Amino acid sequence: MKRAATLTALVCLLAVTAAAPASPDAGRRADTGAAAPGDARSGARPDRHHGTLLDSVPKKAVLKVCTTGDYAPFTKLDPADGTYSGVDITMARDLAESLDAKPKFVATTWANLTKDVAAGRCDIGVGGVSITLPRARQVYFSEPTREDGKTPIVRCADKGKFGAGALADIDKPGTSVVVNPGGTNEQFARAHIKQATIKLHPENTTIFKEIIEGRADVMMTDASETLYQSKIHPELCSLHPDKPFTFSEKAYATPRGDDQFKEYVDQFVHLATHDGTYARYEDEWMK
């Protein structure tokens, strides 16, 4: 009798449990596929349906753009009126317009650009930003805007002195190589220059005057920058910009985890680099 009574009670308990309504959170998770708070998937990435800049930028009608303003032809700040110009500045304006927004340019430095994007001080970082693995640990990078690489720029009057512009032609006693400290230009110079003298110059905006005025002989920087500088300073010549020493790519930095916004920026860049828009903006500065 005891055994029968126990089985009867167990059957009743199971029936009541099965009939009880599921919790609202459980139903929502079943419908949307969202992870429960303790689920192993929880925290892996933001909810794809909430919190994306693809939605919030049009709502606020503002796209916050971090840029350094010191790297023409991609980003240039006019200290007289505080306005920005450059290839990537024009692209940022186009991107903002495509999102029914206006760009708000946020001043940053090369040391802080990707940190500012990661911290949410801005929605995107632009201005000749090279893709590097340390930076890629902090932010997403868009589809590349262009390929680039280190190449020399010298006084045209001294062009014959450097032959084909190979490293062996540059790395000689008596040659002065000027670099801006703390970036990939200095890293490249210190890795490859052993006999020539390396001279540090802290100001990106005035560094090419060091060559023009004879205080340095060579600078090795991105081919795109040498093309721009040789355009605005006819006394300077870029050596083999079509065959640089290194390979790199430039792109735009977006917040890590916001896949929807990154996918939109990817599509924007892809169209601009294939329909002639980006090339037209570059030609305005480099040809």
Side-chain angles (χ1 to χ4, degrees):
M1 289 293 292
K2 278 187 176 182
R3 180 180 175 85
T6 301
L7 289 174
T8 300
L10 181 58
V11 169
C12 290
L13 178 61
L14 291 172
V16 170
T17 303
S23 71
D25 285 346
R28 178 181 60 80
R29 289 193 296 267
D31 290 342
T32 64
D39 194 310
R41 294 175 297 159
S42 180
R45 65 169 62 184
D47 189 326
R48 289 182 62 84
H49 302 289
H50 299 284
T52 175
L53 290 168
L54 190 59
D55 294 332
S56 62
V57 168
K59 286 179 182 177
K60 295 176 182 178
V62 174
L63 177 71
K64 294 182 294 182
V65 182
C66 274
T67 195
T68 63
D70 65 352
Y71 187 26
F74 302 104
T75 176
K76 181 180 179 182
L77 173 64
D78 186 337
D81 58 13
T83 59
Y84 289 90
S85 59
V87 178
D88 287 340
I89 299 302
T90 305
M91 284 282 284
R93 291 195 174 101
D94 287 355
L95 176 62
E97 183 179 358
S98 77
L99 291 166
D100 301 319
K102 298 287 185 183
K104 178 182 179 181
F105 294 104
V106 179
T108 188
T109 64
W110 286 110
N112 292 324
L113 189 147
T114 51
K115 295 176 186 176
D116 286 342
V117 174
R121 285 195 66 227
C122 46
D123 306 321
I124 191 168
V126 311
V129 184
S130 296
I131 300 173
T132 68
L133 294 180
R135 287 172 177 169
R137 293 178 64 182
Q138 296 181 314
V139 296
Y140 281 164
F141 277 107
S142 70
E143 183 170 314
T145 54
R146 74 175 338 266
E147 291 184 6
D148 221 326
K150 303 303 179 190
T151 201
I153 186 169
V154 303
R155 288 181 297 275
C156 295
D158 294 342
K159 190 175 178 181
K161 174 181 175 181
F162 297 101
L167 281 169
D169 298 321
I170 295 167
D171 189 20
K172 294 179 178 180
T175 298
S176 175
V177 177
V178 65
V179 298
N180 49 318
T184 56
N185 289 339
E186 183 182 8
Q187 292 169 13
F188 180 82
R190 294 202 181 281
H192 295 92
I193 298 301
K194 305 301 179 184
Q195 300 182 71
T197 301
I198 295 177
K199 176 183 178 182
L200 296 180
H201 185 80
E203 295 294 330
N204 284 2
T205 55
T206 60
I207 194 168
F208 293 94
K209 288 184 179 179
E210 297 299 295
I211 303 174
I212 293 170
E213 296 175 5
R215 292 186 291 272
D217 302 308
V218 185
M219 181 176 179
M220 289 179 288
T221 185
D222 291 336
S224 53
E225 186 175 29
T226 66
L227 289 170
Y228 170 70
Q229 291 296 331
S230 62
K231 176 183 176 180
I232 64 173
H233 299 298
E235 59 268 56
L236 296 179
C237 284
S238 173
L239 305 182
H240 56 79
D242 55 333
K243 294 180 180 179
F245 294 132
T246 62
F247 169 82
S248 65
E249 292 179 314
K250 297 191 182 302
Y252 302 142
T254 64
R256 222 176 72 177
D258 192 339
D259 293 353
Q260 291 177 313
F261 185 63
K262 179 194 181 300
E263 288 166 5
Y264 184 85
V265 175
D266 281 343
Q267 195 62 60
F268 168 81
V269 171
H270 182 82
L271 292 172
T273 54
H274 286 76
D275 69 4
T277 299
Y278 189 85
R280 186 170 71 253
Y281 294 160
E282 274 202 340
D283 287 350
E284 292 172 3
W285 285 83
M286 290 189 265
K287 289 188 178 180

